[in-house]
Amino acid sequence: MITEVVLPGQVEPEGLELRTRPRPEPGPGQALVAVEASGISFAEQQMRRGKYYDQPPFPFVPGYDLVGTVVSTGPGVDPALRGRRFAALMKIGGWASHALVDAGDLVEVPEGVDAAEAETVVVNGVTAWQMLHRVAKVRPGMTVLVHGANGGVGTTLVQLARHSGIKVIGTASPRHHDAVHTLGATPLDYRDPDLPAQVRALAPGGVDAVFDHIGGEGIVDSFRLLARGGTLVSYGTAATRDVPGSSRAPVLKLFARLALWNLLPNGRRAHFYNLWAGRRRLAAFQGRVRADLGQVLALMAKGEFTALVAARIPLSDAARAMRLAESGTIAGKVVLVPDEDARRRGEEGAR
């Protein structure tokens, strides 16, 4: 039997359901993974509100990514994968004791890297690496602005940028400023009405890139803060998470705005980053994910990247984990772990 967390509809976190069902057998090209860690990202927070742009119909098992050990393989999959630890992007299905994964989506986790720590950089690491190096194409000596520098993607962006010799200005609430500073960024209060002036004081000519997951009207300031030749990378619409109505309308409005800005003759660029873009060419997509996530995991294995696990919480307590992830009080990522693992470690969330 396997255990899964089910999102039955637009519910409060306490409406998440726990169910068991017979353990499936992997089909052709698949591997069955015993999940050791699965994170709570902003995507799941949107999904429970019915606000994620292309989420599946209810009910379904959330879980955007996972880290775990292959326990069995289907036809056409190398049986040597069994017993080895891998990470995988899922979009859904990760909040479970076991999950079926396409073998092509597996990315090996280096020996000695903790499962929960590795989990913090699966979706976050791929997202941050690709936005920095494939979209904005940052170079040493540049200056970038990272909104939400205390969050899962934000902390990853800060560290990867600093590792590449880039100066980082990071917005966060004041309670997280020490943590943001420790990561190597200059922290600013995202609620300060003088925030644009403070950024310009640190980067008089403008910043070379802005990474904005907020959207809403604040995206205008993000674009205006760019230097000539700079790049705005938008990757979310957090500002409209709790706004009733269509999940598509804010995204479509954002797309239209970015497209208009790209027509302006000011040398600035505006992009919307979609992690799943290009998946129609599956082999090329999987190759990029393996390469980019592999870079981040290698840095972690060398001790050059610090994983920020905000809490390890048992899978059976997913409601509390969701509440914590949505609270705005944490730095890093909330990770769901097997109940027995939480009890053994005795860490936050085990009680």
Side-chain angles (χ1 to χ4, degrees), residues 191-315:
R191 290 177 177 159
D192 193 320
D194 292 328
L195 177 63
Q198 293 179 24
V199 174
R200 291 189 184 96
L202 294 168
V207 295
D208 298 291
V210 179
F211 301 94
D212 188 312
H213 70 296
I214 303 168
E217 292 308 308
I219 198 80
V220 177
D221 281 334
S222 290
F223 187 72
R224 288 173 175 168
L225 287 169
L226 290 172
R228 185 172 183 82
T231 304
L232 167 64
V233 185
S234 172
Y235 65 103
T237 55
T240 61
R241 186 190 71 177
D242 297 315
V243 177
S246 168
S247 63
R248 294 177 176 267
V251 179
L252 295 175
K253 180 179 179 180
L254 177 61
F255 286 172
R257 187 171 253 167
L258 300 180
L260 176 63
W261 287 342
N262 280 325
L263 296 176
L264 300 176
N266 57 20
R268 301 167 180 165
R269 298 177 298 147
H271 294 273
F272 186 85
Y273 171 78
N274 175 11
L275 173 62
W276 301 99
R279 191 169 171 82
R280 290 181 180 178
R281 298 178 59 190
L282 186 58
F285 174 87
Q286 291 171 331
R288 286 193 298 273
V289 170
R290 281 194 297 272
D292 299 342
L293 179 54
Q295 295 270 16
V296 183
L297 288 170
L299 291 175
M300 182 177 287
K302 295 175 184 176
E304 298 177 12
F305 183 97
T306 301
L308 293 183
V309 180
R312 304 169 194 250
I313 295 182
L315 180 68

Side-chain angles (χ1 to χ4, degrees), residues 12-93:
E12 293 301 306
E14 290 72 23
L16 292 168
E17 299 174 355
L18 203 65
R19 76 179 180 194
T20 58
R21 64 181 178 90
R23 194 172 88 171
E25 292 298 324
Q30 292 183 322
L32 181 67
V33 176
V35 180
E36 299 172 55
S38 184
I40 298 180
S41 63
F42 187 71
E44 288 95 8
Q45 298 173 37
Q46 290 180 301
M47 286 178 184
R48 81 163 184 84
R49 296 166 169 83
K51 299 284 286 184
Y52 189 76
Y53 185 78
D54 60 351
Q55 70 186 69
F58 298 114
F60 61 90
V61 177
Y64 218 80
D65 55 7
L66 61 78
V67 171
T69 299
V70 172
V71 294
S72 61
T73 54
V77 180
D78 186 355
L81 298 183
R82 298 173 192 167
R84 290 158 58 185
R85 177 179 284 165
F86 292 90
L89 286 170
M90 299 284 290
K91 187 176 281 190
I92 61 170

